[in-house]
C-alpha cells in the first residue's frame, strides 16, 4: 500500500492545524515512509488546552448529545474498518487480521461508553442513619471533572485511545489526546470520525510530539484535571510526581503469567498460549510472558506447545496469513535480542527462535530462566516467553506473585475450588480461568496492582474516575 501523500494535520479546537515541523511515521515492516504528521509546539498545546477549557465552560454537551455522538462514532468506525486497519498494520506493524479485530473492538468501546452516558446517577443517602439528621435530605450527584489528558501507547493505537476518549466524552469532559508518535495517524483518523459524528468544537483535541516537550507541557498545565496514561512504569511514576494531587489512571507494565495445572486442558492451553504469547509480536501489556506448567503434564504440554509455535507465520503484517509481524522498531528488536543473549549466557535454554531480521524478532521460547535475568524479571514486550514447571499449586502461586508487576494472570484447571480460590491468592488485577492471561473484554474492569498501575479502564469503570461525586444536603426544617 502506498504512503499517505498529504501531511496529516493536528486537530485543535475543531480545526485541522498545520505546523512547521513534522513527524515521519514509517511502515514498520518495510521501513518506508508511510505518513508525515504535524508536530505540536508550545503554542499548539496551549491552544488545545485553552479550547478544551472554553468548551467545558461554555459549550453545552448534554447526556443525550453525548450518547448520539458516541453511537455515531461507533458506526463510523465500523464503516471504516479497512482504512483504519491498514493504518494500524502499517504504522504499528500489527498483522492485518488482528488490526481489524482492534478496529471492531474500538467501535464496541464507543458503544459501551455511549450506553454509560445516560446512566450517570447519584444516590439517596439515608439521613436516619445518624441521630439528629432526620430533617435532612442527603443525596449525591455526578458531574464532569473537567479536561482529561489521554496519553496513549503504540501497541493498540486505536482501541487504547478509544478507551480514554470515549469514557471522557461520555462523562461530559473535553479530552486532549497525546498519542504515541510512532502511531499517531490512527488517533488523528479517529478525530476525523469524531468530527463527522458531531462532537462539539473543543471537546476533542489531538496534539503530537515527544514526552519531553508536549508531554511535559500537558503535565504541568493546571487546567487539566485528570490524566489517563498507558505506558512504562518509569513514565507513570514521573507523571504521578509531576501532577501532584490531580487525578490519574496509570496502566503500566507487566510480565503476566499463566498456570497450566495438572487437571487443566493441556491441548487447549498449548494452542492458546502459542498464539497469545506472540500476538502483536508480544507487544501487549497482558501478553503471556511466563508460563508455569505442572510437572505431571509438562512433557505433553511442551511437545504440543512447541509444535504450535513452529506453525506461526512470521512476516509482512499486510499478509492476512501472518501471525507475527515486526516489532515497533529495529531498536526494540535489538533490545530483546540482547536480553535473550544475556539470559542464554547466564544458563537459560533457548528452545526455539532467538533470531532477528531487522525489526522482526522470531517467536522465542526459553526454559531454565530465573531471577536476575531481564527476560524473567522485566516486561519483555516482545515475542519471548519463558516456561517453567512446578509441583504444587502453592508453588505456582508463589512463582506468579514473585514479581514487581501484577496486571493479570491465567490458569487452566477443571477444579471449581481452585477457580474460586486463586483470585484471592494471586496478586493481580484480573484472573482469567481456563484461558490465558492475555484476555480482555472491553467492558470489564481492567488494571493492575503493584508496578502495573492504579485505577481501572473499561468504559463504566473509567467514567467513575472521570466524574466528581458531590454530596448535596438540604435542611428541611421549617
Amino acid at each position: 500500500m502506498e504512503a499517505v501523500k498529504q501531511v496529516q494535520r493536528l486537530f485543535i479546537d475543531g480545526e485541522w492545524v498545520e505546523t512547521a515541523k513534522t513527524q515521519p511515521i514509517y511502515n514498520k515492516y518495510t521501513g518506508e515512509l508511510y505518513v508525515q504528521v504535524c508536530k505540536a509546539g508550545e503554542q499548539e498545546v496551549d491552544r488545545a488546552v485553552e479550547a478544551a477549557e472554553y468548551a467545558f465552560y461554555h459549550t453545552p454537551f448534554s447526556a443525550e448529545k453525548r450518547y448520539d455522538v458516541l453511537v455515531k462514532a461507533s458506526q463510523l468506525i465500523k464503516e471504516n474498518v479497512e482504512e483504519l486497519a491498514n493504518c494500524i498494520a502499517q504504522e504499528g506493524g500489527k498483522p492485518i487480521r488482528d488490526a481489524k479485530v482492534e478496529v471492531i473492538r474500538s467501535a464496541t468501546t464507543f458503544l459501551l461508553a455511549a450506553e454509560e452516558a445516560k446512566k450517570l446517577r447519584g444516590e439517596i443517602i439515608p439521613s436516619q442513619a445518624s441521630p439528629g439528621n432526620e430533617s435532612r435530605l442527603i443525596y449525591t450527584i455526578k458531574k464532569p471533572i473537567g479536561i482529561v489528558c489521554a496519553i496513549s501507547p503504540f501497541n493498540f493505537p486505536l482501541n487504547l485511545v478509544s478507551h480514554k476518549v470515549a469514557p471522557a466524552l461520555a462523562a461530559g469532559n473535553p479530552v486532549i489526546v497525546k498519542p504515541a508518535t510512532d502511531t499517531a495517524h490512527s488517533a488523528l483518523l479517529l478525530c476525523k470520525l469524531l468530527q463527522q459524528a458531531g462532537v462539539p468544537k473543543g471537546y476533542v483535541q489531538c496534539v503530537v510530539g515527544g514526552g519531553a516537550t508536549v508531554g511535559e507541557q500537558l503535565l504541568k498545565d493546571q487546567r487539566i484535571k485528570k490524566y489517563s496514561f498507558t505506558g512504562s512504569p518509569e513514565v507513570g511514576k514521573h507523571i504521578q510526581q509531576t501532577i501532584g494531587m490531580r487525578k490519574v489512571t496509570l496502566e503500566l507494565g507487566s510480565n503476566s503469567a499463566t498456570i497450566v495445572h495438572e487437571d487443566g486442558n493441556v491441548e487447549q492451553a498449548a494452542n492458546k498460549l502459542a498464539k497469545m504469547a506472540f500476538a502483536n509480536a508480544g507487544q501487549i501489556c497482558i501478553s503471556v510472558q511466563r508460563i508455569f506448567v505442572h510437572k505431571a503434564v509438562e512433557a505433553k504440554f511442551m511437545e504440543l506447545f512447541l509444535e504450535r509455535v513452529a506453525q506461526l507465520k512470521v512476516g509482512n503484517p499486510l499478509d492476512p496469513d501472518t501471525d507475527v509481524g515486526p516489532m515497533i522498531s529495529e531498536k526494540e528488536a535489538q533490545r530483546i535480542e540482547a536480553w535473550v543473549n544475556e539470559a542464554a549466557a547466564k544458563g537459560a535454554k533457548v528452545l526455539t527462535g532467538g533470531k532477528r531480521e531487522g525489526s522482526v524478532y522470531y517467536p522465542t521460547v526459553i526454559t531454565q530462566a530465573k531471577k536476575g535475568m531481564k527476560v524473567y524479571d522485566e516486561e519483555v514486550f516482545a515475542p519471548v516467553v519463558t516456561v517453567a514447571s512446578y509441583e504444587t499449586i502453592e508453588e505456582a502461586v508463589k512463582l506468579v506473585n514473585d514479581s514487581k508487576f501484577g496486571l493479570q494472570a491465567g490458569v487452566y484447571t477443571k477444579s471449581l475450588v481452585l477457580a474460586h480460590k486463586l483470585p484471592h491468592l494471586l496478586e493481580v488485577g484480573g484472573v482469567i480461568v481456563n484461558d490465558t492471561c492475555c484476555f480482555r473484554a472491553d467492558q470489564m474492569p481492567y488494571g493492575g496492582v503493584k508496578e502495573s498501575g492504579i485505577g481501572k479502564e473499561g468504559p463504566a469503570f473509567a467514567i467513575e474516575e472521570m466524574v466528581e461525586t458531590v454530596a448535596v444536603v438540604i435542611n428541611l426544617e421549617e
Side-chain angles (χ1 to χ4, degrees):
M1 182 168 288
E2 294 183 0
V4 178
K5 300 296 185 184
Q6 76 278 10
V7 173
Q8 176 61 62
R9 294 170 292 172
L10 305 177
F11 190 60
I12 301 172
D13 199 17
E15 299 175 356
W16 293 96
V17 176
E18 191 166 348
T19 60
K21 294 183 179 180
T22 59
Q23 170 74 36
I25 296 177
Y26 298 95
N27 180 305
K28 300 305 183 291
Y29 184 71
T30 66
E32 297 172 352
L33 179 67
Y34 167 57
V35 66
Q36 294 271 9
V37 173
C38 287
K39 290 179 72 174
E42 186 175 336
Q43 183 179 347
E44 287 77 30
V45 174
D46 187 65
R47 181 182 168 190
V49 181
E50 190 174 291
E53 184 180 47
Y54 183 87
F56 183 64
Y57 289 110
H58 298 94
T59 304
F61 195 20
S62 67
E64 184 180 9
K65 175 67 172 175
R66 294 175 224 160
Y67 174 85
D68 290 341
V69 167
L70 293 167
V71 168
K72 182 62 175 175
S74 176
Q75 293 169 345
L76 288 169
I77 290 169
K78 286 189 282 188
E79 290 170 11
N80 289 273
V81 169
E82 294 297 329
E83 180 184 10
L84 291 166
N86 275 294
C87 176
I88 293 168
Q90 293 203 72
E91 70 174 359
K94 181 172 291 186
I96 190 69
R97 188 174 59 220
D98 296 335
K100 289 179 180 178
V101 172
E102 179 177 348
V103 176
I104 296 301
R105 284 184 60 190
S106 300
T108 300
T109 300
F110 270 88
L111 192 58
L112 289 166
E115 292 167 350
E116 295 297 328
K118 292 184 176 183
K119 293 181 182 178
L120 283 173
R121 58 183 178 269
E123 60 181 317
I124 300 293
I125 309 298
S127 57
Q128 67 273 19
S130 55
N133 291 320
E134 293 83 359
S135 63
R136 312 276 172 161
L137 172 62
I138 307 173
Y139 62 95
T140 64
I141 62 168
K142 305 282 186 179
K143 67 179 185 180
I145 191 171
I147 302 172
V148 174
C149 179
I151 305 174
S152 60
F154 71 83
N155 57 330
F156 284 84
L158 187 66
N159 196 33
L160 287 185
V161 172
S162 300
H163 265 287
K164 301 176 190 305
V165 171
L169 294 177
N173 299 305
V175 58
I176 300 171
V177 183
K178 194 200 91 62
T181 52
D182 275 332
T183 54
H185 195 218
S186 297
L188 289 162
L189 289 178
L190 177 62
C191 288
K192 288 183 178 180
L193 300 183
L194 283 165
Q195 187 179 36
Q196 291 177 38
V199 70
K201 181 180 177 181
Y203 268 87
V204 175
Q205 334 279 334
C206 186
V207 289
V208 178
T213 53
V214 172
E216 282 301 304
Q217 187 176 345
L218 289 168
L219 293 181
K220 292 174 181 177
D221 196 313
Q222 296 296 316
R223 292 172 291 182
I224 297 172
K225 304 304 181 185
K226 158 80 181 183
Y227 294 83
S228 180
F229 169 76
T230 301
S232 72
E234 292 73 25
V235 176
K237 291 174 185 177
H238 172 72
I239 289 172
Q240 193 166 39
Q241 290 168 358
T242 304
I243 67 172
M245 297 294 288
R246 288 175 289 165
K247 285 190 174 183
V248 65
T249 298
L250 301 173
E251 201 277 278
L252 307 177
S254 178
N255 59 2
S256 294
T258 294
I259 298 168
V260 182
H261 200 45
E262 60 182 328
D263 64 349
N265 187 323
V266 176
E267 184 172 0
Q268 183 187 72
N271 288 340
K272 196 66 178 289
L273 286 164
K275 176 183 178 183
M276 301 316 295
F278 309 109
N280 197 26
Q283 299 168 126
I284 302 174
C285 297
I286 44 176
S287 181
V288 181
Q289 183 173 327
R290 298 179 297 153
I291 301 174
F292 299 113
V293 187
H294 194 281
K295 280 192 175 180
V297 294
E298 181 184 12
K300 180 181 178 183
F301 173 82
M302 290 304 295
E303 180 184 358
L304 293 170
F305 180 64
L306 291 171
E307 180 183 315
R308 302 297 187 272
V309 173
Q311 293 169 0
L312 296 172
K313 182 175 180 179
V314 180
N316 190 336
L318 291 175
D319 181 343
D321 293 327
T322 293
D323 298 300
V324 182
M327 294 184 66
I328 193 64
S329 67
E330 186 168 0
K331 180 181 177 182
E332 280 297 291
Q334 290 170 340
R335 171 190 62 80
I336 193 58
E337 181 180 41
W339 284 19
V340 171
N341 290 342
E342 174 199 61
K346 290 183 177 180
K349 188 174 181 181
V350 180
L351 300 186
T352 186
K355 183 175 74 170
R356 181 179 68 83
E357 293 177 355
S359 58
V360 174
Y361 197 78
Y362 280 73
T364 300
V365 179
I366 298 174
T367 57
Q368 299 177 32
K370 57 183 182 292
K371 297 284 286 185
M373 297 179 183
K374 290 187 180 72
V375 297
Y376 189 87
D377 294 342
E378 305 298 330
E379 179 178 38
V380 295
F381 224 59
V384 172
V385 66
T386 64
V387 185
S389 62
Y390 67 91
E391 292 184 345
T392 67
I393 195 64
E394 291 78 14
E395 181 187 356
V397 168
K398 187 176 179 180
L399 287 166
V400 173
N401 290 345
D402 188 18
S403 170
K404 61 185 175 183
F405 301 113
L407 188 48
Q408 288 194 171
V411 55
Y412 281 88
T413 179
K414 291 187 176 71
S415 169
L416 186 61
V417 172
L418 276 184
H420 174 72
K421 183 179 178 181
L422 288 177
H424 294 275
L425 300 176
L426 295 170
E427 297 169 356
V428 293
V431 177
I432 318 300
V433 180
N434 288 325
D435 206 336
T436 78
C437 54
C438 194
F439 171 85
R440 179 182 183 182
D442 293 292
Q443 67 270 32
M444 68 187 260
Y446 177 79
V449 299
K450 297 190 276 190
E451 289 199 15
S452 286
I454 55 176
K456 297 291 184 183
E457 284 192 344
F461 304 93
I463 288 169
E464 280 299 315
E465 300 187 22
M466 293 180 177
V467 295
E468 294 284 9
T469 300
V470 179
V472 182
V473 182
I474 300 176
N475 187 351
L476 300 175
E477 289 180 351
E478 294 185 0

